[in-house]
Amino acid sequence: MANIRDGFGSKAGVIAAAAGSAVGLGNIWRFPYVAGENGGGAFLLIYLGFILVIGFPVMLAELTIGRRAQLNALGSFKKLAPGKPWFLVGLMGIGAAFVILAFYSTIAGWTLEYLSQAISNGFSGKSADELKVSFESFQAAPFRPLIWQMVFMFLTGFIVFSGVKKGIEKYAKILMPVLLVLILIISVRSLTLPGAMGGIEFLFKPDFSKITWGVVLDALGQAAFSLSIGMGTLITYGSYIKKDINLPITALQVTAADTFIAVLAGIMIFPAVFAFGIDPAEGFGLVFIVLPNIFEQMAGGYFFSILFFVLLAIAALTSTVSVLEVVVAYFSEELNMSRKKATILGSVGISIVGVFATLSFGPLKNAVLFDKTIFAWFDFLSANVLLPLGAIFIVIFVGWHLGKKQVKDEISNQGELKVRLINVFMIIVKFFAPVAIAAVFLYGLGLF
Ligand code: PFF
C-alpha cells in the first residue's frame, strides 16, 4: 500500500472506539426487549455465560487477526491465508454489515424522532395507551422515519469520512464518557421508582422453565451482536491498533464495559416496565413506549427524557460508525477507492437497503415470510445467523490456521508481554467455541 494507513492514536482512543462499537442500541434497545421476550433472569444468565466463554475469546481472536494483518476484514484473510478460500469469511462480514446497518439505522432514526419529541415536550399529558398509539403511528408513517434514518446515515458517514483518528476516535472519546454518565443517572432514577423491585426480580431471578433452544440461540445471538463480533468489525478496528497495545486487556475491558452497560440498561428499563404495569415481552418497541411513560410521570421528566434520547442516539452513532467502517475499509483498500468515494458509496448503498427495513413497519408491513417482516428478517439473520456463523469461522481460522505460535507472537506483542492462559485460549478457539456455537446454532434453528 502506497499511502500510510490511518489508525488509532492512543490506548484510550482504542478503548473508546471499540467500546463505542460494542455499546449501542444492542445494549439499550435490543437487550431489554430480547431479554423481556425470553423470560428475563434465565436469559440473562445464559447471555452472561456466552459473553464469558465465547464472546471474549472471539473478540480477542478478531483483534488478533486484524492487528496481525493490518488490513480490512477481507484483506486480512487474504493476507494471512493467501490463495485459500478464507477471504469468503471476510466477504460474509461485509454482507452482514449491510444487513445490520440497514435495520439498525431504522431504529437509530427513531431515536432522533424521539429526541425531537422530547425537546418539544411531546410526551407531556399522554397516557400509556396514547404513547403506544403514537409510537405505532410514527413507525408506520413512511416519511418521518425515512428522513430520520437518512439523517442518521449522514451523521455516520460524516464521522467515517473524517477518518479513523480524526473521526471515529475523536468522537468516541467525547461521546462515550457522556453516555456512561447519562445511563448512570437514569438508572438511579428508575431504581428509585415505586414498584421498581418487580423489575429487578424479573431481570435477576432466573426461571429455568423458560429455557428452550430458541432462547439459548437468542442469547448467543444477542451476545455476539452486543459485542460487535462475528463480522469483522473488530478485525477492522484491530488493524488500526498499534503494535504496543495489550490486546487481551483491551478485549477484556471492552467486553466488561459492554456487559456492564447491557445490565445497566436492564436495570434502567425493567423497574420502569414493572412500575408502570407494562408487559416486559412488549417487543422491540419496549424502550420507545416504556421510557416516555416514565418520563411523563416523573419529576424532572422533561429533562430526563432529553438525556435519555441523547444517550440512545450517541450509543447508536458510535456503533453505526464501526459497521460502516468495515465496508469503507474494504471498498478503499480492496477496490482502490478514495475514503471519500468509499464512504459515499457505502452509506448510499446501505441506506437503500435500509429503506426496506424502515418501510416494513408501514407500507411493507404485509411483506412477511414465516411470520417475520423484512425488518425482523434482517435482525434475525444478522444476529442469529450471520454473526454466529462468522464467529465459528473466525475462531477456527485463529485456532487451526494461524496457530499457537503466531497467536502468541501477536498477543504478546512479539514477546514483549507475558501471556498467560494461552493454552486455554487455544483450546477454546480450536475446539470449544466452534463446537458450542455450532450446536446452539443448529439446535436453535431447529435443524438438529
Ligand atoms: N454492538 C452494537 C450494539 O450492541 O448496538 C451493534 C453492532 C455493531 C453489531 C457492530 C455488529 C457490529 F459489527
Side-chain angles (χ1 to χ4, degrees), residues 321-342:
V321 158
S322 73
V323 187
L324 184 61
E325 179 61 24
V326 173
V327 176
V328 168
Y330 163 70
F331 281 174
S332 60
E333 288 176 347
E334 300 302 307
L335 308 178
N336 273 320
M337 280 178 206
S338 66
R339 189 169 187 88
K340 189 171 158 189
K341 199 168 154 198

Side-chain angles (χ1 to χ4, degrees), residues 21-27 100 104 225-228 231 233 319 322-323:
S21 169
V23 175
L25 294 175
N27 305 59
I100 289 184
Y104 202 90
F225 188 83
S226 190
L227 291 175
S228 301
M231 57 162 271
T233 302
S319 298
S322 73
V323 187

Side-chain angles (χ1 to χ4, degrees), residues 40-41 44 190-191 193-205 266-276 280:
L44 176 65
S190 184
L191 270 177
L193 286 169
M197 269 335 275
I200 294 299
E201 241 178 54
F202 177 78
L203 183 62
F204 291 108
K205 210 167 138 197
I267 292 177
M268 169 170 76
I269 286 155
F270 288 112
V273 168
F274 281 76
F276 294 104

Side-chain angles (χ1 to χ4, degrees), residues 53-371:
V53 297
I54 291 181
F56 167 71
V58 177
M59 181 178 291
L60 181 55
E62 278 202 39
L63 292 174
T64 305
I65 296 174
R67 193 175 67 176
R68 189 89 184 151
Q70 304 278 301
L71 279 171
N72 62 84
L74 188 136
S76 286
F77 285 105
K78 273 210 296 203
K79 180 166 171 187
L80 299 175
K84 301 237 170 74
W86 282 107
F87 71 91
L88 291 171
V89 180
L91 205 59
M92 185 170 89
I94 317 286
F98 269 80
V99 180
I100 289 184
L101 203 43
F103 84 86
Y104 202 90
S105 56
T106 301
I107 311 293
W110 294 357
T111 68
L112 297 181
E113 162 75 18
Y114 270 69
L115 177 58
S116 88
Q117 284 193 27
I119 293 171
S120 62
N121 209 4
F123 312 128
S124 153
K126 287 199 176 134
S127 69
D129 283 340
E130 284 169 326
L131 285 167
K132 194 168 169 188
V133 169
S134 86
F135 173 64
E136 279 156 7
S137 65
F138 159 69
Q139 289 175 359
F143 283 110
R144 285 177 77 93
L146 279 179
I147 288 170
W148 285 124
Q149 180 179 33
M150 298 308 145
V151 170
F152 210 94
M153 284 303 296
F154 178 82
L155 292 173
T156 306
F158 172 78
I159 294 180
V160 169
F161 182 84
S162 312
V164 177
K165 197 180 291 122
K166 298 208 173 96
I168 299 174
E169 176 172 355
K170 180 175 130 193
Y171 288 96
K173 270 164 93 174
I174 303 170
L175 297 175
M176 290 310 287
V178 178
L179 181 144
L180 183 65
V181 172
L182 292 183
I183 196 166
L184 283 171
I185 297 175
I186 303 171
S187 300
V188 170
R189 183 63 195 96
S190 184
L191 270 177
T192 49
L193 286 169
M197 269 335 275
I200 294 299
E201 241 178 54
F202 177 78
L203 183 62
F204 291 108
K205 210 167 138 197
D207 170 1
F208 288 101
S209 67
K210 298 263 164 60
I211 304 300
T212 61
W213 277 110
V215 173
V216 178
L217 177 62
D218 273 350
L220 175 70
Q222 176 59 28
F225 188 83
S226 190
L227 291 175
S228 301
I229 55 175
M231 57 162 271
T233 302
L234 291 157
I235 295 180
T236 310
Y237 273 18
S239 77
Y240 301 135
I241 297 180
K242 289 207 182 99
K243 290 284 184 188
D244 63 350
I245 299 276
N246 187 325
L247 289 188
I249 297 273
T250 304
L252 201 64
Q253 285 168 332
V254 175
T255 305
D258 185 66
T259 309
F260 177 67
I261 302 281
V263 173
L264 216 50
I267 292 177
M268 169 170 76
I269 286 155
F270 288 112
V273 168
F274 281 76
F276 294 104
I278 291 165
D279 179 7
E282 173 68 44
F284 57 78
L286 199 60
V287 293
F288 293 95
I289 298 170
V290 172
L291 288 168
N293 251 304
I294 324 176
F295 299 137
E296 218 302 283
Q297 300 181 39
M298 75 191 209
Y302 174 73
F303 170 72
F304 281 109
S305 66
I306 297 176
L307 284 191
F308 176 74
F309 288 106
V310 168
L311 161 77
L312 210 53
I314 289 176
L317 189 59
T318 51
S319 298
T320 51
V321 158
S322 73
V323 187
L324 184 61
E325 179 61 24
V326 173
V327 176
V328 168
Y330 163 70
F331 281 174
S332 60
E333 288 176 347
E334 300 302 307
L335 308 178
N336 273 320
M337 280 178 206
S338 66
R339 189 169 187 88
K340 189 171 158 189
K341 199 168 154 198
T343 309
I344 295 173
L345 205 71
S347 341
V348 171
I350 291 169
S351 300
I352 293 172
V353 189
V355 167
F356 292 91
T358 299
L359 292 184
S360 73
F361 291 97
L364 295 178
K365 76 166 176 286
N366 293 323
V368 277
L369 190 68
F370 299 114
D371 264 1

Side-chain angles (χ1 to χ4, degrees), residues 397-417:
F397 181 81
V398 167
W400 296 93
H401 179 86
L402 274 190
K404 183 171 162 186
K405 227 177 113 215
Q406 285 207 62
V407 170
K408 191 167 178 189
D409 185 62
E410 192 57 46
I411 64 181
S412 70
N413 299 352
Q414 284 71 46
E416 286 288 311
L417 303 172

